[in-house]
């Protein structure tokens, strides 16, 4: 489902002292003359195309009435700048003459001020017009000479400060003058497009060449020293629909020698350098996760962990000028209480915190860890264990990825409506600033009041799903927290069933994204699946199997995201050991492989090799996250089937993100020769203020978006082919924002890629294992089980170590016929002296007693012997 994320706009003014500072301003000279054929710099000034790209803050929803842009403005606002209409990305040229004109009315009547200004502190004014607006529309005009150039000025109409409520309407807004906009020409570098990070030795190695040639040409793979190490002929692919380019592709997968600084030479061009290495993505796993720590709210960021330039004070703890998240009231009329909702992650480039986006992001971090229990290549989660990441909780005997997820989980739990209140058990949809804030802005310097927005069924089910996941994953590490999560999950699910159709308003987009969603059947399916996986209870099985999503198509060509989460339920049921009937479980798993087969077809059809169709509608806000999620499905199919074609598909999908695309740009900061580094963010404002950092390494940009929902990209990229609808500029929030749900998809994929090492041929199993649970003890607080290992290979095993992981709180109490230890959920069994040898066709067994507080207790989904995965029987 294509995301319909609401705009993340800019403010004009933060406060009287800074927003309208007049130092260095000019209104131009009185004799400025603008020729009649001067170019127009305002987009959609007659509102014939609707509201876009106009924004507002402090007003009611914008709408077009009788061809005019209108909104209601509340009375009693303290200052004119407390409410405004506006447009960003208005270009000005120093010394050029301009005419600013507009029609305005106000009912019953108010003063309106048009200000052309710098769109960030110190909000320097270039021109302004004071208009005494009445109920009848009046025309106002001013000519001026621009004192300085600004390719992205801001025009705002300040409409606050009147005693009575007003209806303000604008029409015929125009700024004529200056020069026609220069066409934007991106620097695409060499015409040979590669994964600028590199390739796994045994994996696929593909490149795309932009060329006028229509017949094959020779290519050469060269070492860092310039030696030709491989060569061949290209494959013509014709015109790529997504980019409009005539292209050919190169496949050099047969070359497998590790090395650094390789280049590909073809058609007279030399690619960016890249490596061939089995450790290519090891650091990316850590970098992608580091993003979340730096996005944390309510904690000081430690520069010793992540670099001094990212150190900052804790945001939104009520320390002036913050009004804080420790006691946040609801929007007027929503509730009569305040909640402590500190913590969590800032969602994206703003300072808002949204449950539905936090839900999928938390799920993917938790699932990155949960995958290590069942994926043969994951090495039991060693790379995600304690003290593997740059987080302050390292060294606490809990896997660091769980520590990071817990920071958001604690926030999500705090968003639940307290017992005894109306809608108790439901979850508030979001919390953010009352009005939009400008860029850049450190979280600790945000002066805006914070507000809780109404509860929604979607948010409630997001909490039910991730809290259920939390309950089983934290059980071996923190039983009290796991119990708290489990209770919250059940309470939320029951509340959602009691209130199944409370939807977030699509117009609630002032100060933060709306994140509206009027179909929550997928959230019900996901939540029921997670609760069933954790508890094993029949009621949740009944609900999930009754859902249309259980047998429906949940893996669309354009991937999944926060607004379509049925795929999360399907992936969980396919990978987490559970009590689904065997035939149903097999069908669920087959559906993952079928979706992966479809993505492989799409990859094969795309000259740039990405698992996304080539039509305009497939390039939308945050599409890079959906591309990564399609790669997640491919990777999961590999984990389930051990068929290398799915692994190769996931590996190849990463090529697009790291530079094999029409723009020849890596969308991940710090990864690749030419990488995005000016993503839209209030914290990472280096483009506006050189003393601030760029986004940290491992930050994924939203990517090419044919919708161009921000004025900066609309001005620069009008008419772009879909794959060219991206610009690495902080002003382009619709193509170049960062977001936790995109980085969570990157995190999952990065962890999978790092686990593949050389991507060598998948070995055939040489062992089989049966796991027999003989049932619970009297009282139900424990069980007895036996594991039988059979040698299906042709060589004797001399000494063995078996390993598997429980799904929840199970704990081995005593064992026989093996030395058994347990760390977290992972059980390790080593042979005794008398059963060390298992000859070909032979077998041995060990047994154990284990305690459990209840819940699901399925057989393990993966058992390894001496590090190799065994067939389960």
């Amino acid at each position: 489902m294509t995301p319909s994320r609401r705009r993340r706009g800019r403010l004009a003014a933060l406060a009287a002292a800074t927003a309208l500072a007049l130092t260095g301003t000019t209104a131009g000279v009185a004799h400025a003359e603008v020729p009649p054929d001067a170019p127009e710099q305002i987009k959609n000034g007659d509102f014939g195309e609707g509201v876009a790209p106009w924004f507002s803050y402090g007003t009611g929803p914008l709408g077009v009435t009788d061809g005019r842009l209108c909104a209601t403005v509340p009375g009693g606002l303290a200052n004119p700048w407390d409410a405004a209409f506006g447009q960003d990305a208005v270009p000005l040229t120093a010394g050029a003459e301009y005419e600013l004109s507009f029609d305005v009315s106000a009912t019953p009547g108010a003063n309106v001020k048009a200000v052309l200004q710098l769109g960030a502190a110190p909000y320097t004014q270039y021109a302004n017009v004071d208009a005494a607006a009445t109920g009848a529309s009046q025309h106002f005009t001013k000519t001026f000479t621009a004192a300085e150039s600004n390719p992205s000025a801001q025009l705002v109409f300040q409409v606050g400060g009147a005693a009575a409520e007003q209806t303000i309407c604008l029409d015929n807004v125009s700024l004529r003058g200056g020069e026609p906009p220069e066409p934007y020409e991106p620097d695409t570098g060499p015409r040979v497009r590669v994964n600028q990070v590199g390739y796994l030795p045994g994996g696929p190695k593909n490149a795309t060449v932009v060329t006028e040639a229509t017949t094959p040409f020779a290519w050469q793979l060269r070492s860092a020293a310039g030696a030709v190490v491989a060569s061949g002929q290209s494959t013509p692919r014709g015109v790529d629909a997504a980019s409009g380019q005539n292209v050919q592709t190169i496949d050099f997968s047969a070359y497998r020698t590790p090395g650094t600084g390789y280049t590909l030479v073809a058609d007279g061009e030399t690619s960016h350098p890249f490596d061939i290495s089995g450790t290519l993505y090891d650091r990316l796993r850590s970098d992608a996760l580091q993003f979340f720590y730096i996005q944390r709210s309510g904690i000081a960021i430690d520069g010793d962990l992540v670099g001094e330039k990212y150190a900052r004070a804790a945001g939104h703890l009520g320390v002036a000028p913050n009004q804080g998240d420790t006691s946040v009231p609801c929007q007027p009329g929503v509730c009569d209480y305040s909640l402590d909702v500190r913590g969590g992650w800032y969602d994206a480039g703003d300072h808002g915190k949204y449950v539905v986006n936090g839900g999928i992001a938390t799920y993917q971090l938790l699932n990155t860890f949960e995958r290590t229990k069942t994926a043969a290549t994951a090495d039991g989660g060693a790379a995600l264990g304690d003290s593997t990441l740059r987080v302050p909780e390292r060294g606490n005997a809990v896997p660091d990825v769980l520590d990071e997820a817990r920071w958001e989980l604690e926030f999500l739990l705090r968003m639940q409506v307290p017992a005894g209140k109306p809608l108790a058990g439901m979850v508030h949809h979001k919390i953010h600033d009352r009005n939009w804030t400008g860029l850049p802005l450190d979280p600790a310097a945000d002066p805006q009041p914070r507000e809780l927005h109404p509860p929604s069924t979607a948010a409630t089910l997001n909490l039910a799903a991730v809290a259920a996941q939390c309950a089983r994953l934290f059980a071996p590490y923190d039983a009290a927290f796991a119990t708290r999560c489990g209770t919250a999950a059940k309470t939320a699910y029951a509340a959602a069933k009691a209130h199944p159709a409370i939807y977030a308003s699509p117009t609630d987009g002032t100060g933060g994204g709306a994140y509206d969603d009027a179909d929550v059947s997928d959230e019900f399916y996901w939540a029921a699946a997670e609760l069933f996986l954790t508890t094993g209870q029949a009621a949740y099985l009944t609900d999930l199997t009754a859902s249309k999503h259980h047998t429906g198509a949940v893996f669309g060509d354009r991937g999944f995201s926060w607004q379509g989460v049925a795929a999360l339920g399907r992936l969980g049921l396919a990978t987490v050991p559970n009590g689904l009937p065997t035939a149903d479980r097999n069908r669920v798993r087959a559906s993952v492989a079928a979706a992966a087969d479809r993505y492989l077809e799409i990859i094969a059809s795309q000259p740039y090799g990405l698992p996304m169709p080539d039509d305009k509608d497939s390039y939308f806000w945050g599409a890079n996250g959906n591309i990564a999620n399609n790669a997640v499905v491919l990777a999961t199919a590999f984990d389930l089937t051990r068929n290398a074609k799915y692994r190769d598909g996931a590996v190849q999908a990463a090529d697009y993100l790291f530079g094999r695309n029409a723009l020849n740009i890596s969308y991940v900061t710090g990864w690749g020769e030419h990488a995005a580094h000016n993503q839209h963010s209030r914290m990472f404002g280096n483009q506006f203020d050189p003393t601030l950092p760029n986004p940290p390494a491992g930050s994924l940009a939203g990517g090419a978006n044919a919708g161009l929902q921000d004025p900066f990209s609309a001005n620069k990229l009008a008419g772009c082919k879909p794959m060219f609808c991206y610009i690495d500029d902080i002003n382009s929030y619709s193509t170049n924002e960062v977001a936790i749900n995109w980085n969570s998809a990157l995190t999952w994929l990065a962890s999978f890629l790092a686990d593949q090492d050389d991507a060598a041929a998948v070995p055939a199993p040489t062992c089989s294992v049966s796991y027999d649970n003989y049932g619970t003890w009297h009282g139900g607080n424990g069980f007895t089980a036996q594991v039988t290992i059979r040698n299906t290979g042709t060589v004797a095993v001399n000494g063995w170590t078996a390993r598997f992981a429980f799904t929840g709180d199970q704990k081995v109490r005593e064992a026989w016929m093996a030395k058994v230890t347990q760390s977290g959920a992972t059980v390790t069994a080593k042979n005794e002296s008398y059963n060390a040898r298992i000859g070909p066709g032979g077998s041995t067994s060990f047994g154990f007693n284990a305690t459990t507080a209840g819940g699901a207790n399925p057989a393990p989904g993966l058992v390894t012997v001496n590090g190799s995965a065994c067939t389960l029987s």
Side-chain angles (χ1 to χ4, degrees), residues 25-76:
T25 65
T26 179
V29 295
H31 63 269
E33 296 182 2
V34 180
D37 61 348
E40 178 62 64
Q41 307 297 346
I42 296 297
K43 300 291 184 184
N44 191 28
D46 64 358
F47 310 107
E49 299 176 8
V51 171
W54 292 86
F55 68 83
S56 70
Y57 64 88
T59 74
L62 289 179
V64 176
T65 303
D66 297 328
R68 300 183 298 162
L69 183 73
C70 300
T72 300
V73 181

Side-chain angles (χ1 to χ4, degrees), residues 11 14 18 120-121 123 312 316 321-322 346 349-351 433 435-448 450 681-686 688-689 692 730:
L11 293 194
L14 293 177
T18 59
Y123 300 95
R312 59 174 173 82
H316 297 99
N322 278 180
Y346 296 118
D350 61 302
H351 298 148
D433 290 341
N435 292 308
W436 286 109
T437 54
L439 281 79
L441 182 65
D442 187 273
D446 178 11
Q448 278 287 323
R450 307 278 275 181
S681 170
R682 282 156 179 76
M683 288 186 286
F684 312 128
N686 178 268
F688 285 156
D689 181 352
L692 297 176
I730 196 170

Side-chain angles (χ1 to χ4, degrees), residues 783-843:
F783 64 99
T784 300
Q786 178 174 291
V787 177
T788 300
I789 303 168
R790 181 173 296 277
N791 182 353
T792 59
T794 58
V795 178
V797 173
N798 289 296
W800 51 266
T801 299
R803 185 175 66 191
F804 65 88
F806 290 126
T807 57
D809 70 347
Q810 301 92 333
K811 181 71 173 176
V812 173
R813 192 179 73 180
E814 62 261 335
W816 47 93
M817 299 180 70
K819 302 179 183 72
V820 176
T821 58
Q822 185 172 346
S823 176
T826 301
V827 176
T828 301
K830 295 186 178 182
N831 63 269
E832 297 285 7
S833 59
Y834 52 82
N835 60 0
R837 188 180 188 280
I838 312 174
S843 64

Side-chain angles (χ1 to χ4, degrees), residues 6 503-509 514 516:
R6 297 289 164 173
Y503 305 128
S505 170
T507 63
D508 187 14
D516 53 300

Side-chain angles (χ1 to χ4, degrees), residues 293-297 299-304 306-307 310-314:
Y293 171 56
I294 298 175
Q295 288 284 121
R296 286 190 189 185
S297 176
I299 186 175
I301 303 304
D302 186 351
D304 289 340
V306 293
Y310 295 108
R312 59 174 173 82

Side-chain angles (χ1 to χ4, degrees), residues 137-229:
S137 183
Q138 301 178 70
H139 185 70
F140 294 86
T141 301
K142 182 168 189 173
T143 57
F144 66 97
T145 301
E148 60 183 73
S149 294
N150 185 341
S152 189
Q154 184 183 70
L155 175 64
V156 291
F157 291 85
Q158 298 172 1
V159 294
E165 180 180 278
Q166 302 286 330
T167 298
I168 308 287
C169 294
L170 292 174
D171 200 3
N172 300 317
V173 182
S174 172
L175 180 67
R176 295 189 307 107
E179 301 295 329
E182 292 185 7
Y184 172 68
E185 293 291 338
D187 178 10
T188 57
R191 290 185 289 106
V192 182
R193 311 288 161 78
V194 298
N195 180 328
Q196 296 170 26
V197 176
Y199 302 87
L200 301 178
K205 303 175 188 68
N206 295 278
T208 304
V209 183
V210 181
T211 179
E212 295 180 358
T214 57
T215 57
F217 47 71
W219 58 264
Q220 296 179 335
L221 178 65
R222 296 184 179 179
S223 68
V228 177
V229 297

